Amino acid sequence: MTKTKANPTLKAKSGISKSAVTNLSRRTFFKRMGVGVASCVMLSDIVMGEMLAADAADSLAAWIHVSDTGRITVFSGKAEVGQNIRTSLTQVLAEELFVSVDDIDLILSDTMRTPYDRGTTGSRTTPQMVPLLRRAAATVREILLETAAESWNLEKQSLDLERGTIAHPSNGKKLSYADLVSGKKLLRDVDSSAPLVPVEQWRIAGTSVPKINGRDFITGRHKYASDMTLPGMVYGKILRSPAVGAELIEIDTSEAERMPGVQVVKDGSFIGVTARDSSTAQVALALIQAKWRHSEQPSRSNLFEHLVSKSKNSPSPKNGVEKAFTQSSIQLEQEFLIDYIAHVPLEPRVGMAEWKGDKLTVWTGTQKPFGVQEDLSNEFGISKGNVRVIMPDTGSGYGGKHTAEAGVEAARLAKAVGKPVKVSWTREEEFKWAYLRPSGVIRVKCAGTDSGGLSSWEIYNFNSGGSGIESPYEVDTKHHQYISSDPPLRQGSYRALASTANTFAMESQMSDMADLLSMDSLDFRLKYLKNERLSNVLVAATEKFGWKRSKAPGSGYGLGCGTVKGGFVASCAEVEVDVATGEVSITRIVTAFECGAIINPRHLESQITGCVLQGLGGALFEAIEFEQGVVTNASLSSYRVPRFKDVPVIETVLVNRPDLPSAGSGETPIIGVAPAIRNAIADACGVKINRLPMLPDGRLPRV
Amino acid sequence: MKINVNGKELTIDVTANPSLLEALREQLDLTGTKYGCGEGACGACKVLVNGTPLPACITPAVTVQGKKVITIEGLETNGELHPVQQAFLEVDAFQCAYCAPGMIINAVALLEKNSNPTKQEIVDAMNGNICRCCTYPQIVEAIYQAGKQLA
Ligand code: FES
Ligand code: FES
């Protein structure tokens, strides 16, 4: 085995010496686990939630334990929300431990049992956890090899290891992991020099291992947080204000209180009910008479004016871009408008809470179990050690489940009524009171010279965010600026954040600029791309697509590419436009994606397809409508998401780079779709749609 | 009220006029059937009522008296997966899989009527079911393969 350079950085928390931490950990660890051999990524918070250090926010941890039955248990604070990390992480563990994926139990997201984790966000699981877990698993494997070598008085290099069993080179004797572990309590810090299985020799990682526990999901046996119950549990509902900024001035709960089995909880403006079934709780909620004072709020019709007029700053060009712009002969200045969109995780928010004395346990679907733990500890003024958050594998998030609402609500009700409570949000609540992907106004200005040069580049993003705002192209003078504003609706994280909007604006601008300079938009991009990984996917996508093919009348080709979060993506779209009716159909999207060494090709392809199709929704028709602070399309019959019939021909090219560390794939592939479609429509009929969504009713906007 | 679910006669309380979805999930602990929208728009809650796929969220529980209800939990026979479930497992179609029970129930109903559908027929029949993770191509493939198996 060779050593690779992908050495994870192991950070010890300052102020606590490594050995002190490990000693403390060892005792608690084995108290819980029984005998075994284990390795841990060394951190202060390595063992149990009770010992969690408050300022360990930057640390990463994982531990691996082999029991005396040979069963392997791995603990990580990451969250499974459908990105299938349970599968990919198990694959890399199995690879290093020379066992099958079935030999491993991966315990995720339980603040009492798993090490602290800051959250499953930003495509960080793969680049951060994979190297850590590989090294930790390799450490365990080496300990076991050494133990066998010692007992046979041999060099460990001479031993053969296969499926959890170590074989003597000559006498036919075998020792299983179970044999080797028997009676031992051995915990070691991860050895950063433990040799890793080289990616080229991967046998389990790098293959399409099917979803772990897949059978539980297709038989309905898996319990999502929304499926869980506790003995004596009641169902809770919360009174919501009718609009953003509305203030409760009068409340009459007497009718609800008269319903048998119903309890009403009033705590300032927090009003809720509980009942033994959700239909009764719903009726009780409806019987509450509340009066609200409304305040003036923005509407969708003045959203973009609002974002610009309430912006906290104004564009302040730097680096001489203004001069370069004015001095150039070809100038292009455009504005792009981005509507609010919703995540719509198919499983809405849910929280189930139980108090035992001053100890609180909450089950919830979240991308940040430790964040929820912290919110709960703040809310109730109890220590984090008294709050346990458990997250079963969840019905998706897409960046929309970073917060603790339903868990906090359930815990407040449970505390008041003295019983376990489950609060399941309705789809309407999810649309109105969860957070949205920010809307935005994006201005792009650039200039070119007659010789096809790109001389200046400016981009200003009002409100939607600064992620992915940096142009990947080489231009002499560049300036980018994110300008925050006063958002009229609650907004937050979303798959790929603002890079979808920023890439839409930048890649639209690039294609239009190529047109102005009479250059092919692929050649134009390649000319200014120095980033080889990005050029590679651009070439891969356009080759598969057949970029230089001739087109039928009415059809158009477009492309969009970009790089964020360690991934590189290029999408090509083909559209057909009926100029007479204005009808547009998207017929084909080809996406090439590269994120280093591929761990699971089938799941990678699924993530790319999912990103492309979810991106199609935001590109074409998804938009939150709102009037005076009230979302008016808060249902799945009025807010349109992609369905089977919206799916064009989708092709993917997986660019594998075994020589590079793996990065995440759940976000980046979304960013090229919108500009590719927009540029294809422009190519087909000359109409440039600088707005997301582009085709809310399937037709070209009337000019 | 008596209700026949997955071949068993069970009793539910209908005083609060629950939807079939609420009765299944809260009274019978059959939580494989999911809530996604509450208005018949997403298909997450689909069950078979006398063989027809219906959204349980907008079906009052009282209306299924005397009818046969099949939920995702009732598709296996003697521990053997239904061919549609088997195909979904083999194609490894899902991400979060929250949509899976509704998708599978709807696909079972489709294949009862049309055992070997074309991909276009699958798309038409499945359009009322939402997969927000957008694993649509894989779902179509799984149903297509199940059809080939059954034909
Ligand atoms: S929950 Fe019944 S169709 Fe959506
Ligand atoms: S797999 Fe997540 S909703 Fe379908």
Side-chain angles (χ1 to χ4, degrees):
Chain A
M1 284 178 198
T2 54
K3 286 180 192 170
T4 78
K5 272 189 276 169
N7 215 348
T9 344
L10 308 176
K11 257 199 269 171
K13 189 179 153 277
S14 56
I16 297 181
S17 86
K18 204 167 156 173
S19 60
V21 166
T22 313
N23 286 335
L24 180 70
S25 313
R26 181 177 288 125
R27 253 185 289 124
T28 323
F29 185 76
F30 287 110
K31 209 168 112 195
R32 193 168 286 250
M33 298 304 301
V35 295
V37 167
S39 87
C40 60
V41 175
M42 219 300 300
L43 284 176
S44 56
D45 54 355
I46 166 182
V47 176
M48 303 301 156
E50 301 98 82
M51 287 193 276
L52 189 74
D55 52 352
D58 269 326
S59 33
L60 271 168
W63 9 287
I64 299 178
H65 176 264
V66 184
S67 80
D68 57 359
T69 62
R71 192 89 201 140
I72 295 160
T73 315
V74 182
F75 300 84
S76 158
K78 288 291 173 198
E80 171 64 67
V81 284
Q83 74 290 44
N84 283 326
I85 56 158
R86 182 179 291 287
T87 309
S88 58
L89 296 181
T90 306
Q91 284 179 262
V92 295
L93 287 159
E95 186 70 57
E96 294 296 338
L97 286 161
F98 289 72
V99 296
S100 123
V101 289
D102 304 329
D103 299 326
I104 298 175
D105 294 315
L106 179 58
I107 312 291
L108 298 173
S109 299
D110 175 338
T111 59
M112 197 170 95
R113 300 175 71 198
T114 62
Y116 178 84
D117 185 87
R118 200 161 56 173
T120 303
T121 65
S123 288
R124 288 200 307 262
T125 302
T126 304
Q128 293 184 340
M129 270 334 260
V130 165
L132 286 174
L133 289 179
R134 285 178 74 193
R135 198 69 74 174
T139 303
V140 169
R141 180 199 63 225
E142 292 303 304
I143 298 173
L144 293 163
L145 277 168
E146 279 157 28
T147 313
E150 253 166 57
S151 71
W152 287 329
N153 219 349
L154 288 167
E155 291 292 309
K156 74 174 174 182
Q157 283 77 4
S158 66
L159 306 179
D160 277 333
L161 176 51
E162 192 62 56
R163 183 89 212 251
T165 302
I166 297 169
H168 192 286
S170 50
N171 69 7
K173 283 205 180 128
K174 286 189 171 159
L175 282 168
S176 68
Y177 283 179
D179 302 330
L180 290 163
V181 160
S182 159
K184 291 199 182 56
K185 283 190 182 183
L186 188 62
L187 176 70
R188 233 189 249 178
D189 292 343
V190 167
D191 174 2
S192 56
S193 66
L196 301 180
V197 176
V199 174
E200 312 79 66
Q201 288 169 28
W202 276 357
R203 293 176 301 175
I204 301 168
T207 67
S208 293
V209 169
K211 186 175 176 74
I212 305 258
N213 299 338
R215 198 179 164 120
D216 289 347
F217 291 90
I218 51 134
T219 52
R221 262 195 285 276
H222 173 71
K223 293 274 184 198
Y224 295 86
S226 47
D227 301 329
M228 304 185 109
T229 53
L230 288 167
M233 184 192 87
V234 288
Y235 294 82
K237 292 267 171 212
I238 310 298
L239 182 73
R240 305 285 173 198
S241 88
V244 173
E247 210 185 308
L248 185 61
I249 45 174
E250 224 181 277
I251 178 113
D252 177 1
T253 58
S254 53
E255 258 189 281
E257 274 160 58
R258 277 197 291 275
M259 287 182 69
V262 168
Q263 277 180 279
V264 176
V265 175
K266 287 190 270 188
D267 180 3
S269 62
F270 176 83
I271 315 285
V273 299
T274 64
R276 68 189 173 92
D277 55 69
S278 52
S279 35
T280 306
Q282 193 61 57
V283 173
L285 187 73
L287 289 175
I288 293 177
Q289 311 285 327
K291 274 212 187 100
W292 302 85
R293 186 182 302 117
H294 289 255
S295 58
E296 195 60 31
Q297 294 290 330
S299 299
R300 188 182 173 201
S301 55
N302 60 4
L303 168 64
F304 302 115
E305 293 80 3
H306 174 90
L307 292 178
V308 174
S309 68
K310 297 281 176 181
S311 64
K312 310 270 193 256
N313 270 307
S314 31
S316 46
K318 288 203 180 78
N319 312 327
V321 276
E322 266 180 318
K323 193 162 160 228
F325 182 80
T326 35
Q327 285 174 352
S328 298
S329 54
I330 297 163
Q331 300 172 335
L332 180 62
E333 195 171 351
Q334 301 194 83
E335 185 173 78
F336 298 85
L337 305 176
I338 315 294
D339 263 303
Y340 277 112
I341 64 173
H343 308 79
V344 200
L346 205 57
E347 181 189 27
R349 282 167 166 63
V350 63
M352 180 173 77
E354 180 180 42
W355 288 89
K356 287 204 170 129
D358 62 352
K359 285 201 189 327
L360 170 66
T361 305
V362 166
W363 291 258
T364 188
T366 175
Q367 295 172 248
K368 289 189 175 174
F370 290 87
V372 173
Q373 181 194 38
E374 182 159 353
D375 286 358
L376 289 164
S377 114
N378 292 338
E379 175 76 31
F380 297 103
I382 52 177
S383 74
K384 281 197 234 169
N386 279 345
V387 181
R388 179 179 183 185
V389 175
I390 303 172
M391 194 209 97
D393 294 6
T394 286
S396 75
Y398 323 114
K401 287 183 178 164
H402 291 184
T403 44
E405 305 88 351
V408 172
E409 289 160 2
R412 286 182 84 167
L413 292 178
K415 191 165 183 171
V417 303
K419 290 174 206 149
V421 174
K422 181 160 80 172
V423 172
S424 303
W425 280 28
T426 62
R427 180 57 58 198
E428 183 184 350
E429 288 176 293
E430 187 71 34
F431 270 113
K432 288 186 169 168
W433 302 110
Y435 55 88
L436 304 167
R437 187 185 78 180
S439 55
V441 174
I442 304 174
R443 293 183 182 155
V444 193
K445 240 172 125 170
C446 73
T449 56
D450 295 323
S451 55
L454 204 47
S455 48
S456 84
W457 179 269
E458 293 164 74
I459 173 167
Y460 304 95
N461 177 315
F462 294 84
N463 187 63
S464 96
S467 158
I469 198 172
E470 236 171 299
S471 165
Y473 301 100
E474 304 284 323
V475 190
D476 294 342
T477 57
K478 282 205 264 193
H479 175 64
H480 58 82
Q481 192 183 351
Y482 159 58
I483 301 164
S484 61
S485 182
D486 172 30
L489 297 176
R490 187 178 176 212
Q491 60 184 39
S493 186
Y494 184 100
R495 202 170 207 177
L497 301 165
S499 38
T500 300
N502 285 325
T503 306
F504 173 64
M506 294 194 295
E507 286 293 279
S508 300
Q509 183 86 356
M510 282 300 282
S511 285
D512 293 356
M513 200 60 194
D515 275 355
L516 276 180
L517 297 168
S518 309
M519 284 182 74
D520 173 81
S521 61
L522 171 62
D523 300 340
F524 183 60
R525 281 173 172 80
L526 289 173
K527 180 173 171 190
Y528 289 101
L529 272 184
K530 294 280 165 326
N531 186 322
E532 217 185 312
R533 292 174 78 181
L534 190 51
S535 319
N536 284 346
V537 289
L538 199 50
V539 169
T542 46
E543 266 174 13
K544 172 100 179 179
F545 181 80
W547 180 251
K548 306 256 157 144
R549 270 176 310 141
S550 60
K551 302 162 225 195
S555 81
Y557 305 161
L559 56 83
C561 67
T563 168
V564 285
K565 298 174 197 297
F568 298 81
V569 70
S571 290
C572 299
E574 183 168 348
V575 304
E576 268 160 37
V577 179
D578 182 332
V579 197
T581 64
E583 246 169 274
V584 180
S585 48
I586 319 302
T587 51
R588 182 169 171 243
I589 299 176
V590 176
T591 298
F593 182 61
E594 189 254 292
C595 58
I598 296 174
I599 298 173
N600 187 315
R602 186 153 56 174
H603 288 170
L604 174 61
E605 181 160 358
S606 177
Q607 282 300 320
I608 299 170
T609 313
C611 276
V612 166
L613 289 173
Q614 202 167 70
L616 186 88
L620 299 183
F621 41 71
E622 284 185 43
I624 288 287
E625 284 161 25
F626 62 104
E627 206 41 65
Q628 287 285 337
V630 184
V631 174
T632 54
N633 60 342
S635 71
L636 274 172
S637 55
S638 52
Y639 180 97
R640 181 172 165 205
V641 299
R643 289 177 180 267
F644 280 94
K645 286 189 181 167
D646 296 311
V647 179
V649 173
I650 299 272
E651 290 162 62
T652 52
V653 187
L654 311 183
V655 180
N656 192 13
R657 287 294 301 269
D659 55 321
L660 294 172
S662 311
S665 62
E667 303 191 78
T668 310
I670 202 173
I671 67 175
V673 186
I677 294 173
R678 182 263 186 202
N679 293 335
I681 295 171
D683 182 47
C685 65
V687 179
K688 296 179 166 147
I689 311 176
N690 292 351
R691 173 156 191 178
L692 294 183
M694 288 181 268
L695 306 167
D697 57 4
R699 279 162 215 277
L700 294 174
R702 251 170 250 136
V703 204
Chain B
M1 182 189 116
K2 288 254 181 289
I3 178 172
N4 185 301
V5 185
N6 301 331
K8 284 193 210 111
E9 289 289 330
L10 302 165
T11 311
I12 55 168
D13 178 357
V14 290
T15 31
N17 192 24
S19 66
L20 178 57
L21 179 65
E22 287 161 339
L24 291 169
R25 291 177 55 82
E26 295 176 15
Q27 297 189 40
L28 304 175
D29 197 30
L30 291 169
T31 54
T33 309
K34 306 298 183 202
Y35 168 90
C37 70
E39 54 163 348
C42 78
C45 65
K46 278 190 182 165
V47 297
L48 299 173
V49 176
N50 285 352
T52 306
L54 291 184
C57 65
I58 50 167
T59 304
V62 289
T63 63
V64 301
Q65 196 161 23
K67 298 179 184 161
K68 285 190 181 353
V69 179
I70 303 284
T71 71
I72 186 75
E73 291 92 345
L75 288 183
E76 281 165 285
T77 35
N78 309 321
E80 288 245 339
L81 293 179
H82 186 282
V84 172
Q85 288 173 308
Q86 191 60 45
F88 273 99
L89 204 54
E90 271 156 29
V91 172
D92 196 10
F94 298 111
Q95 288 181 19
C96 77
Y98 190 80
C99 66
M103 290 284 177
I104 292 169
I105 286 285
N106 207 58
V108 166
L110 162 66
L111 296 181
E112 290 283 318
K113 277 200 296 192
N114 175 0
S115 69
N116 195 8
T118 63
K119 293 203 171 167
Q120 189 55 50
E121 285 169 335
I122 295 170
V123 165
D124 292 342
M126 297 298 295
N127 205 48
N129 282 65
I130 290 171
C131 172
R132 185 54 173 161
C133 299
C134 293
T135 65
Y136 296 118
Q138 293 89 327
I139 295 172
V140 171
E141 182 61 31
I143 300 172
Y144 187 73
Q145 287 189 14
K148 292 270 159 292
Q149 204 72 39
L150 288 168

